Amino acid sequence: MKLFPKNFEILNRKAKQYIMPILTPHLLKLRINTYAPYVGAGIKLEHLDTDQGLCVVSMGLTALNKNIVGTQFGGSLYAMTDPFYMLLLMQQLGSNYVVWDKSSHIEFVAPATSKVTARIKVSSSEATAIRKLAESGEPVFRDYRTEIVDNNQKVVAIVTKTVYIRLRKHSRSKSQASRLDLPDKPNDNVSNNVSDNVSGEASSEVSSGENN
């Protein structure tokens, strides 16, 4: 009777180590694309590559999501970019780091009268730079800019987002954990010495003096 729990624990650990990294992008994509607010708004995660730090998000224009003047609803334009920098950074940096959205701004450039697309990227060089900046234990704030384009590649909106990152051992948010159960990248332990609302719960931490 004692062997089964032990064997199960070993199998579970091996599954997380070898199988989950393969399945994670597919399961995560499915989970996001069945997230009720996204389904209601018509937002779709088209492509996700957590290793490369890249995702592509789209939103069609239908009778169900048009605004009062028949164009893309501004709130949905923002929502289609909202969680992804935080999500990609959590995966790129690993569990030794706490990541929160700090602030966001959207600029409406032109009415969106067709399907729209946003390409969101966090490069490996950006992750390396963040790890270096976070070595001291101080919080790191990074700004990211995303253009949302229509079917003709015309920019219809620009979202600017500020993200907060800090080494977990120096953060008041040590207990922060992803509800998406993303496994760490294999090199997470190596990088330790160098980096739902999934959108914006940093305010309680940052405003209370976390960045002091």
Side-chain angles (χ1 to χ4, degrees):
M1 292 297 292
K2 292 181 179 180
L3 290 177
F4 180 76
K6 182 178 180 180
N7 289 338
F8 180 79
E9 182 181 340
I10 292 171
L11 288 172
N12 187 45
R13 187 165 61 247
K14 287 182 178 290
K16 287 183 177 180
Q17 183 178 359
Y18 298 107
I19 300 175
M20 278 304 294
I22 298 172
L23 294 180
T24 291
H26 306 287
L27 295 174
L28 181 55
K29 184 177 177 181
L30 176 64
R31 188 162 183 174
I32 290 173
N33 282 333
T34 55
Y35 182 50
Y38 272 22
V39 173
I43 298 169
K44 184 177 181 181
L45 178 59
E46 301 277 2
H47 175 78
L48 175 66
D49 187 332
T50 54
D51 288 332
Q52 296 298 316
L54 173 66
C55 65
V56 178
V57 189
S58 69
M59 181 171 62
L61 181 65
T62 71
L64 297 177
N65 66 2
K66 288 180 180 179
N67 64 17
I68 196 170
V69 292
T71 62
Q72 292 280 13
F73 175 54
S76 297
L77 287 170
Y78 168 73
M80 67 184 289
T81 69
D82 180 31
F84 294 107
Y85 281 110
M86 184 174 171
L87 183 152
L88 291 174
L89 283 166
M90 289 176 76
Q91 177 65 5
Q92 290 285 74
L93 297 173
S95 61
N96 290 324
Y97 296 81
V98 167
V99 183
W100 289 113
D101 281 341
K102 171 84 167 54
S103 63
S104 298
H105 171 78
I106 185 167
E107 177 186 354
F108 299 107
V109 178
T113 57
S114 68
K115 177 181 177 180
V116 292
T117 305
R119 186 177 186 273
I120 298 160
K121 171 77 174 174
V122 176
S123 66
S124 58
S125 60
E126 169 66 3
T128 299
I130 291 171
R131 291 189 186 101
K132 186 68 177 176
L133 291 168
E135 279 182 348
S136 66
E138 292 300 308
V140 176
F141 297 92
R142 303 293 277 181
D143 294 330
Y144 300 102
R145 183 177 186 270
T146 303
E147 293 184 346
I148 302 174
V149 301
D150 65 11
N151 278 342
N152 297 316
Q153 297 304 301
K154 178 181 178 182
V155 177
V156 298
I158 300 169
V159 177
T160 305
K161 181 178 286 288
T162 300
V163 182
Y164 160 99
I165 308 106
R166 195 171 194 177
L167 276 168
R168 186 174 296 276
K169 62 184 179 181
H170 296 288
S171 173
R172 294 180 184 177
S173 294
K174 291 183 178 66
S175 61
Q176 181 211 54
S178 172
R179 294 177 61 237
L180 300 173
D181 297 325
L182 293 176
D184 285 343
K185 297 184 75 174
N187 64 347
D188 180 45
N189 291 331
V190 176
S191 66
N192 184 32
N193 294 326
V194 281
S195 149
D196 136 282
N197 174 343
V198 261
S199 61
E201 296 178 356
S203 57
S204 60
E205 176 179 273
V206 177
S207 63
S208 64
E210 173 63 24
N211 58 332
N212 293 329

